[in-house]
C-alpha cells in the first residue's frame, strides 16, 4: 500500500518526511558546528564539502518530494481543528517547503559568489558548476556576504519552524489526541476512539 488517502500518508511520503527530517537536523547541527571552526583547520574544508554534498541531496529530495506531494495531496486535517489552526498548519508547511529550496540555493549562490572560487565536488566525485551571480549585487565578496547572511537567516527560520512543527505534532498527539502525528508514522494509522 503506497497511500491511504482517507486517513494517512503512504509509505513514500513517510519515507520522504523522515529521511529529510534526519538529514535536515544533521545539516543544521553540522552548519552550527562548522560556523565555530577556524577556516585554517584542515578538517574544515572536508566538513564544508560534506555540508555542500548533503545540501544538494536535500535539494534533490525536496524537488522529488514536492512532485510527489503535488501528485498525492495530503490527507485532510481533522474536522475538529479550528480554522486558524488549519491556516497555521498550511502556512507552516509552505514555509518549510520554501526553506527546503531557499537554504540549499542560497548556499549554492554563496559558494558561486565567493572570491575564493572553491569548487564543489559532491561526495568527492561529481563536480558541481557555480551559478551565475548578477553583477548588480556588487563585488564577489559583497554578493557572498549577502548570500551567507540569507543562508544563515533561512537556517534560523527553519529551526523556528521545525520547533513549531514538532510542537504542533506533539500537541495533536498528547493534547488533542487525534491521528495527525500517527498518520506520519504508518499508513494504516487509524483515529483513536
Amino acid at each position: 500500500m503506497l497511500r491511504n488517502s482517507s486517513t494517512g500518508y503512504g509509505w513514500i511520503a513517510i519515507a520522504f518526511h523522515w529521511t529529510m527530517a534526519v538529514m535536515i537536523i544533521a545539516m543544521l547541527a553540522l552548519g552550527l558546528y562548522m560556523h565555530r571552526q577556524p577556516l585554517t583547520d584542515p578538517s574544515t574544508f572536508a566538513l564544508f564539502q560534506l555540508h555542500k554534498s548533503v545540501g544538494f541531496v536535500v535539494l534533490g529530495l525536496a524537488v522529488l518530494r514536492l512532485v510527489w506531494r503535488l501528485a498525492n495531496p495530503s490527507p485532510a486535517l481533522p474536522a475538529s481543528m479550528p480554522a486558524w489552526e488549519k491556516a497555521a498548519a498550511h502556512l507552516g508547511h509552505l514555509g518549510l517547503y520554501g526553506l527546503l529550496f531557499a537554504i540549499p540555493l542560497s548556499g549554492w549562490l554563496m559558494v558561486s559568489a565567493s572570491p575564493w572560487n572553491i569548487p564543489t565536488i559532491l561526495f568527492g566525485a561529481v563536480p558541481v558548476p557555480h551559478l551565475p551571480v548578477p553583477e548588480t549585487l556588487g563585488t564577489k565578496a559583497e554578493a557572498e556576504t549577502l548570500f551567507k547572511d540569507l543562508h544563515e537567516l533561512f537556517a534560523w527560520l527553519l529551526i523556528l519552524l521545525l520547533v513549531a512543527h514538532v510542537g504542533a505534532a506533539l500537541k495533536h498527539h498528547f493534547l488533542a489526541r487525534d491521528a495527525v502525528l500517527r498518520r506520519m508514522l504508518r499508513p494504516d494509522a487509524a483515529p483513536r476512539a
Side-chain angles (χ1 to χ4, degrees), residues 52-83:
K52 292 188 290 184
S53 294
V54 177
F56 276 104
V57 173
V58 169
L59 180 59
L61 286 174
V63 169
L64 293 174
R65 183 175 184 177
L66 183 59
V67 168
W68 182 259
R69 172 103 185 244
L70 292 173
N72 300 275
S74 298
L77 292 169
S80 61
M81 277 179 68

Side-chain angles (χ1 to χ4, degrees), residues 97 104 141 146 158 162 169 174 179:
Y97 274 97
L146 170 68
L158 181 60
L162 288 176
F174 292 109

Side-chain angles (χ1 to χ4, degrees), residues 4 60 99 106 130 133 145 187:
N4 182 349
L99 290 170
S106 63
H130 289 304
V133 178
T145 299

Side-chain angles (χ1 to χ4, degrees), residues 14-182:
I14 292 170
F16 272 129
H17 180 273
W18 292 109
T19 300
M20 292 184 75
V22 168
M23 292 178 79
I24 289 164
I25 291 168
M27 286 292 285
L28 290 168
L30 180 57
L32 290 170
Y33 176 77
M34 287 170 20
H35 192 67
R36 293 180 299 187
Q37 296 304 304
L39 292 176
T40 55
D41 186 325
S43 67
T44 301
F45 178 79
L47 290 175
F48 272 87
Q49 289 296 332
L50 176 63
H51 187 77
K52 292 188 290 184
S53 294
V54 177
F56 276 104
V57 173
V58 169
L59 180 59
L61 286 174
V63 169
L64 293 174
R65 183 175 184 177
L66 183 59
V67 168
W68 182 259
R69 172 103 185 244
L70 292 173
N72 300 275
S74 298
L77 292 169
S80 61
M81 277 179 68
W84 71 266
E85 199 172 339
K86 288 180 182 179
H90 291 304
L91 287 173
H93 282 107
L94 281 174
L96 288 170
Y97 274 97
L99 290 170
L100 289 179
F101 287 94
I103 293 173
L105 289 173
S106 63
W108 193 1
L109 284 163
M110 174 178 55
V111 169
S112 299
S114 174
W116 294 69
N117 203 31
I118 297 172
T120 297
I121 312 293
L122 292 185
F123 300 105
V126 180
V128 176
H130 289 304
L131 293 173
V133 178
E135 291 180 14
T136 56
L137 297 177
T139 66
K140 282 186 151 279
E142 291 169 334
E144 179 190 33
T145 299
L146 170 68
F147 291 122
K148 179 181 180 190
D149 291 345
L150 286 172
H151 193 67
E152 289 180 17
L153 172 66
F154 293 155
W156 285 110
L157 287 173
L158 181 60
I159 290 169
L160 291 174
L161 273 178
L162 288 176
V163 168
H165 185 71
V166 170
L170 294 175
K171 175 255 183 202
H172 279 283
H173 190 70
F174 292 109
L175 299 178
R177 300 186 60 78
D178 58 32
V180 169
L181 175 61
R182 287 192 318 278

